[in-house]
Amino acid sequence: MSKTTLAIIAGVSAAAGSAATAAIFANRSQKKDALTTTTSLPPTSTSPPPPVPAPLPHPFKDLVSPVNPTGVFQYGFPGPINDLRPTLSTTSSFDRRTRNPYWVAEHITPESLNANNADRRHSIFVEDESIPEKFRAKLHDYFRSGYDRGHQVPAADAKWSQDALDQTFLLSNMCPQVGEGFNRDYWAHFEDFCRRLINHYPSVRIVTGPLYLPRRDPQDGKWRISYEVIGNPPNVSVPTHFYKVIFAEDGKTGGDVSLGAFVLPNAKIDNEKPLQSFEVPIEAIERASGLEFASNLPVLRRKKLCEQVTCSLLVRDYAERQKNLMGAAPPKKSGGAFPPPSR
């Protein structure tokens, strides 16, 4: 992917909001073609072998070094350390520098979502004591920050157990999110879209996380990454964007997996904005995040999610969604509520 292409995809800041996002994702077919042809995919069984590096000009193997740089490890390993945090309902990797997760993974099934054994009213936000104190996000960091404690794995996906639901309220599962118009609106509708995928797939895995993407400075035309930091002292980074990578599995051993990748700005988004306007190639998220999501998934098993189902939102009132989190059984969804796209 060229620098310009990635910058165009990445350059929607939280301040720019959904209007700028709409402009960037206009003419999607042309941009997706450009991304597809210029992106270096992760190595697969069909990829050519990596180039063999040229031999070094000097036979360093014959040299005896008078220094020992790795001797610093006797005082401790500097890092980075990615705190892997498994819970009943999530698995995540935590970024100590930003005090946000790199990614949080979940798994939903018809059985897990149809169970209703938990009540959100019994859950509270808590600091994750598995993260060293000096690196973890704290409750007071969010106090009067103007941002929601935004779930990466939503509480509604873990109602099969009160303990599982409670663990979604760990701050290691949170990032600062714009509340009105995003976390409580468009983002929540997007989470509901993911849940409705179980009407078509017996198993759905979702990886969610923050991004810190560049925007172009109108003064000098250069691209820079800039984001707010909240807390006292300021230490919790406010992501500019969020991503979701969706793996919708057909339930067969070695079967097909429908892949969907989306990037949304951390900003107010009009509920009328089409979800597919935020669809991007998975490689774009990998390059922006430094992560890999599907390197072990053969290309022949991959399907495009939005070619298998209609990628659209079902907008529901926020109060109604909260009722479903507080003990009310979720309404039954028929397959007709989520029809496949017209061919």
Side-chain angles (χ1 to χ4, degrees), residues 112-297:
S112 71
L113 292 188
N114 288 332
N116 192 19
N117 303 318
D119 189 334
R120 184 186 178 121
R121 288 172 294 192
H122 301 317
S123 301
I124 59 173
F125 291 95
V126 293
E127 297 174 13
D128 191 337
E129 295 184 355
S130 73
I131 308 296
E133 191 273 339
K134 65 180 177 181
F135 296 126
R136 76 173 77 122
K138 299 180 176 65
L139 292 169
H140 64 73
D141 289 328
Y142 284 86
F143 182 64
R144 293 183 177 176
S145 69
Y147 292 96
D148 284 2
R149 293 164 291 197
H151 283 72
Q152 300 304 280
V153 168
D157 293 1
K159 293 190 298 178
W160 54 270
S161 160
Q162 187 66 49
D163 288 337
L165 181 65
D166 290 346
Q167 289 177 338
T168 68
F169 283 81
L170 289 166
L171 290 190
S172 57
N173 183 44
M174 305 293 158
C175 289
Q177 286 187 328
V178 170
E180 185 177 354
F182 186 66
N183 181 47
R184 305 172 209 168
D185 293 282
Y186 201 95
W187 183 255
H189 305 320
F190 186 22
E191 293 171 335
D192 178 68
F193 162 80
C194 295
R195 284 189 287 274
R196 288 187 290 120
L197 287 171
I198 66 166
N199 291 323
H200 294 272
Y201 300 94
S203 173
V204 178
R205 303 181 191 274
I206 307 160
V207 184
T208 304
L211 292 172
Y212 309 87
L213 302 184
R215 63 175 305 191
R216 194 167 195 169
D217 190 312
Q219 300 300 320
D220 59 17
K222 296 182 179 180
W223 294 89
R224 293 183 174 89
I225 297 176
S226 177
Y227 51 84
E228 187 177 350
V229 182
I230 62 172
N232 186 19
N235 64 125
V236 179
S237 302
V238 180
T240 63
H241 295 71
F242 290 92
Y243 69 83
K244 280 188 183 290
V245 178
I246 302 170
F247 303 83
E249 303 168 342
D250 67 6
K252 302 174 183 177
T253 302
D256 292 336
V257 178
S258 296
L259 274 178
F262 302 85
V263 173
L264 282 67
N266 188 12
K268 185 175 181 179
I269 303 175
D270 191 316
N271 283 333
E272 299 302 314
K273 183 73 176 174
L275 177 59
Q276 278 194 263
S277 65
F278 299 110
E279 184 186 13
V280 299
I282 190 172
E283 296 81 25
I285 298 178
E286 291 178 332
R287 287 180 176 271
S289 66
L291 306 171
E292 287 191 322
F293 300 97
S295 57
N296 292 334
L297 180 62

